[in-house]
Amino acid sequence: MAAINKLGVIGAGLMGNGIAHVAALSGIPVVLMDVQQQALDRALATMAKNMERQVSKGSISGADRDAALARIVTATDNSAFADCDLVIEAATENEEIKKKIFAGLCPVLKPDALLASNTSSIPITRLAAATDRPGRFIGMHFFNPVPMMKLVEIIRGLATEDATYQAVEALAKRMGKAPVMAQDWPGFVVNRILCPMINEAIQALMEGVGDVAAIDAGMKLGANHPMGPLELADFVGLDTLYSVMKVLHEGLGDSKYRPSPLLAKYVEAGWYGRKSGRGFYDYSTTPPTPTR
């Protein structure tokens, strides 16, 4: 089984900086790459702030924080990954963008390096086939916020070798995560179940079954969910939810996975949820105000 002693992460957004954060705290040197220097600067500031919060809560020491931040280096091109043992792609949930990233990445990797995608729904077998190392390609799906969420779905493609799975499973455990193996079907385990539930809540909203407050309160109080489905949709990002539902619908061919027309309208309007300031809630107020 290959040892993973240096990790690369592509994408300095919410997921990428979370993965780098957790890996660095577990003692692994990390190269965080993004084409935009501003994104890297924001990621470093976010990691420092989040680790400081952990220090204040007593979950890590100041020395742990300083050592972890010192393990992270940033880059704006792929050449920095030349000596990485594993590179995790954490770019936007768009298959063509991911394939373009892999085309530029594979030539600079050492021959035995592993490659993983943090995709939440795109078929691993199909992504792997676009690389020069399908046997050393795997899905490693972290959950947001990465420093807090224990689960990592590990998804084997059709060609993924046993040694690749074993190395990535061991890495997930080293990072303090609880890995579960998922088969390479659209949505994997969690999103196959979760996203249609959220989509159904949006459909119920569109049909007037209840308003935003009623639907979210109903699921929090009636099903003991920590967040209502519409609140959760805003947290995940309506654009991301829409992408996952399209993958499920196209991959499984069942009309029950059709994205709600209301979800499509919100995405067309640019109302993506928390990250855009408006979704099923308006985040310009405190507390956020339901928009329907």
Side-chain angles (χ1 to χ4, degrees), residues 86 115-118 124 128 134 136-140 154-157 160-161 164-166 168-169:
L86 166 69
L115 189 53
S117 176
N118 182 56
I124 296 303
R136 294 187 293 281
F137 192 99
I138 200 163
M140 195 176 189
I154 301 178
I155 308 101
R156 296 183 68 143
T160 303
E161 296 165 359
T164 302
Y165 178 83
Q166 291 160 7
V168 170
E169 182 185 46

Short mmCIF file of all heavy atoms in Angstrom, two decimals, residues 86 115-118 124 128 134 136-140 154-157 160-161 164-166 168-169:
data_model
loop_
_atom_site.label_atom_id
_atom_site.label_comp_id
_atom_site.label_asym_id
_atom_site.label_seq_id
_atom_site.Cartn_x
_atom_site.Cartn_y
_atom_site.Cartn_z
N LEU A 86 -0.59 12.06 -3.42
CA LEU A 86 -2.01 12.08 -3.76
C LEU A 86 -2.41 13.51 -4.02
O LEU A 86 -2.03 14.41 -3.26
CB LEU A 86 -2.86 11.50 -2.62
CG LEU A 86 -4.38 11.74 -2.69
CD1 LEU A 86 -4.99 10.95 -3.85
CD2 LEU A 86 -5.06 11.35 -1.38
N LEU A 115 -4.73 9.90 -7.57
CA LEU A 115 -5.56 11.05 -7.92
C LEU A 115 -6.97 10.80 -7.42
O LEU A 115 -7.51 9.70 -7.58
CB LEU A 115 -5.54 11.23 -9.44
CG LEU A 115 -6.16 12.48 -10.06
CD1 LEU A 115 -5.61 13.75 -9.44
CD2 LEU A 115 -5.90 12.48 -11.57
N ALA A 116 -7.56 11.80 -6.77
CA ALA A 116 -8.91 11.67 -6.23
C ALA A 116 -9.74 12.88 -6.62
O ALA A 116 -9.21 13.97 -6.81
CB ALA A 116 -8.88 11.53 -4.71
N SER A 117 -11.05 12.67 -6.70
CA SER A 117 -11.97 13.78 -6.91
C SER A 117 -12.90 13.88 -5.72
O SER A 117 -13.38 12.86 -5.20
CB SER A 117 -12.79 13.58 -8.19
OG SER A 117 -13.74 14.63 -8.32
N ASN A 118 -13.16 15.11 -5.30
CA ASN A 118 -14.11 15.37 -4.22
C ASN A 118 -15.53 15.55 -4.78
O ASN A 118 -16.40 16.06 -4.09
CB ASN A 118 -13.68 16.63 -3.45
CG ASN A 118 -14.60 16.93 -2.28
OD1 ASN A 118 -14.80 16.10 -1.40
ND2 ASN A 118 -15.18 18.13 -2.26
N ILE A 124 -17.29 8.36 -11.01
CA ILE A 124 -15.84 8.23 -10.83
C ILE A 124 -15.21 7.49 -12.01
O ILE A 124 -14.13 7.85 -12.49
CB ILE A 124 -15.53 7.52 -9.50
CG1 ILE A 124 -16.02 8.36 -8.31
CG2 ILE A 124 -14.05 7.21 -9.38
CD1 ILE A 124 -15.43 9.76 -8.24
N ALA A 128 -12.22 8.96 -14.16
CA ALA A 128 -10.97 8.20 -14.19
C ALA A 128 -10.52 7.93 -15.63
O ALA A 128 -9.33 7.97 -15.94
CB ALA A 128 -11.14 6.88 -13.44
N PRO A 134 -6.37 5.41 -14.46
CA PRO A 134 -7.67 5.00 -13.91
C PRO A 134 -7.56 4.04 -12.73
O PRO A 134 -8.42 4.05 -11.84
CB PRO A 134 -8.39 4.37 -15.10
CG PRO A 134 -7.34 4.11 -16.12
CD PRO A 134 -6.28 5.13 -15.90
N ARG A 136 -5.37 4.21 -10.40
CA ARG A 136 -4.95 5.00 -9.24
C ARG A 136 -5.84 6.22 -9.04
O ARG A 136 -5.44 7.20 -8.43
CB ARG A 136 -3.48 5.41 -9.39
CG ARG A 136 -2.54 4.20 -9.36
CD ARG A 136 -1.08 4.62 -9.33
NE ARG A 136 -0.66 5.27 -10.56
CZ ARG A 136 -0.35 4.63 -11.69
NH1 ARG A 136 -0.43 3.32 -11.76
NH2 ARG A 136 0.03 5.32 -12.76
N PHE A 137 -7.07 6.12 -9.54
CA PHE A 137 -8.06 7.20 -9.43
C PHE A 137 -9.21 6.72 -8.54
O PHE A 137 -9.63 5.57 -8.62
CB PHE A 137 -8.60 7.57 -10.81
CG PHE A 137 -9.40 8.84 -10.83
CD1 PHE A 137 -8.84 10.03 -11.24
CD2 PHE A 137 -10.74 8.84 -10.44
CE1 PHE A 137 -9.58 11.22 -11.26
CE2 PHE A 137 -11.48 10.02 -10.45
CZ PHE A 137 -10.90 11.20 -10.87
N ILE A 138 -9.73 7.65 -7.70
CA ILE A 138 -10.78 7.27 -6.76
C ILE A 138 -11.61 8.51 -6.39
O ILE A 138 -11.15 9.64 -6.59
CB ILE A 138 -10.15 6.64 -5.49
CG1 ILE A 138 -11.14 5.79 -4.71
CG2 ILE A 138 -9.47 7.71 -4.61
CD1 ILE A 138 -10.47 4.83 -3.72
N GLY A 139 -12.78 8.30 -5.88
CA GLY A 139 -13.58 9.39 -5.34
C GLY A 139 -13.35 9.50 -3.84
O GLY A 139 -13.31 8.50 -3.13
N MET A 140 -13.17 10.73 -3.37
CA MET A 140 -12.98 10.98 -1.93
C MET A 140 -13.86 12.18 -1.60
O MET A 140 -13.43 13.33 -1.68
CB MET A 140 -11.51 11.24 -1.62
CG MET A 140 -11.18 11.15 -0.14
SD MET A 140 -9.40 11.37 0.15
CE MET A 140 -9.33 10.94 1.92
N ILE A 154 -15.85 7.12 0.15
CA ILE A 154 -14.78 6.70 -0.76
C ILE A 154 -15.42 5.86 -1.85
O ILE A 154 -16.07 4.85 -1.57
CB ILE A 154 -13.69 5.90 -0.01
CG1 ILE A 154 -13.09 6.75 1.11
CG2 ILE A 154 -12.60 5.46 -0.98
CD1 ILE A 154 -12.03 6.04 1.93
N ILE A 155 -15.25 6.32 -3.09
CA ILE A 155 -15.96 5.71 -4.21
C ILE A 155 -14.99 5.09 -5.20
O ILE A 155 -14.13 5.79 -5.76
CB ILE A 155 -16.84 6.76 -4.94
CG1 ILE A 155 -17.75 7.49 -3.95
CG2 ILE A 155 -17.67 6.09 -6.03
CD1 ILE A 155 -17.25 8.87 -3.56
N ARG A 156 -15.10 3.80 -5.37
CA ARG A 156 -14.25 3.09 -6.32
C ARG A 156 -14.84 3.18 -7.72
O ARG A 156 -16.03 2.93 -7.92
CB ARG A 156 -14.13 1.62 -5.94
CG ARG A 156 -13.46 1.37 -4.62
CD ARG A 156 -13.30 -0.11 -4.35
NE ARG A 156 -12.36 -0.74 -5.26
CZ ARG A 156 -11.51 -1.71 -4.92
NH1 ARG A 156 -11.50 -2.17 -3.68
NH2 ARG A 156 -10.69 -2.22 -5.81
N GLY A 157 -14.01 3.52 -8.69
CA GLY A 157 -14.41 3.40 -10.09
C GLY A 157 -14.23 1.95 -10.53
O GLY A 157 -13.69 1.11 -9.80
N THR A 160 -10.52 1.12 -10.37
CA THR A 160 -9.75 1.46 -9.17
C THR A 160 -9.11 0.21 -8.54
O THR A 160 -9.79 -0.78 -8.28
CB THR A 160 -10.64 2.16 -8.11
OG1 THR A 160 -11.24 3.31 -8.69
CG2 THR A 160 -9.82 2.56 -6.90
N GLU A 161 -7.81 0.29 -8.30
CA GLU A 161 -7.09 -0.86 -7.73
C GLU A 161 -7.27 -0.93 -6.22
O GLU A 161 -7.51 0.08 -5.55
CB GLU A 161 -5.60 -0.72 -8.07
CG GLU A 161 -5.33 -0.78 -9.57
CD GLU A 161 -3.93 -0.29 -9.94
OE1 GLU A 161 -3.18 0.13 -9.03
OE2 GLU A 161 -3.61 -0.30 -11.14
N THR A 164 -5.10 1.37 -4.16
CA THR A 164 -5.56 2.77 -4.16
C THR A 164 -6.61 2.97 -3.09
O THR A 164 -6.55 3.92 -2.29
CB THR A 164 -6.12 3.16 -5.54
OG1 THR A 164 -5.11 2.96 -6.53
CG2 THR A 164 -6.60 4.59 -5.56
N TYR A 165 -7.58 2.08 -3.06
CA TYR A 165 -8.64 2.19 -2.05
C TYR A 165 -8.05 2.12 -0.64
O TYR A 165 -8.39 2.92 0.24
CB TYR A 165 -9.68 1.09 -2.23
CG TYR A 165 -10.75 1.15 -1.16
CD1 TYR A 165 -11.83 2.02 -1.28
CD2 TYR A 165 -10.64 0.39 0.01
CE1 TYR A 165 -12.79 2.12 -0.29
CE2 TYR A 165 -11.59 0.50 1.01
CZ TYR A 165 -12.65 1.36 0.86
OH TYR A 165 -13.58 1.47 1.86
N GLN A 166 -7.16 1.16 -0.41
CA GLN A 166 -6.59 0.97 0.92
C GLN A 166 -5.80 2.20 1.37
O GLN A 166 -5.88 2.63 2.53
CB GLN A 166 -5.71 -0.28 0.93
CG GLN A 166 -6.49 -1.57 0.80
CD GLN A 166 -5.64 -2.74 0.34
OE1 GLN A 166 -4.41 -2.63 0.23
NE2 GLN A 166 -6.28 -3.87 0.04
N VAL A 168 -6.18 5.35 0.38
CA VAL A 168 -7.07 6.49 0.61
C VAL A 168 -7.91 6.28 1.86
O VAL A 168 -8.16 7.22 2.63
CB VAL A 168 -7.93 6.76 -0.65
CG1 VAL A 168 -9.03 7.76 -0.37
CG2 VAL A 168 -7.04 7.25 -1.79
N GLU A 169 -8.34 5.06 2.10
CA GLU A 169 -9.07 4.76 3.34
C GLU A 169 -8.19 5.04 4.56
O GLU A 169 -8.63 5.64 5.55
CB GLU A 169 -9.53 3.31 3.35
CG GLU A 169 -10.33 2.94 4.59
CD GLU A 169 -10.69 1.47 4.65
OE1 GLU A 169 -9.78 0.63 4.38
OE2 GLU A 169 -11.84 1.13 4.94
#
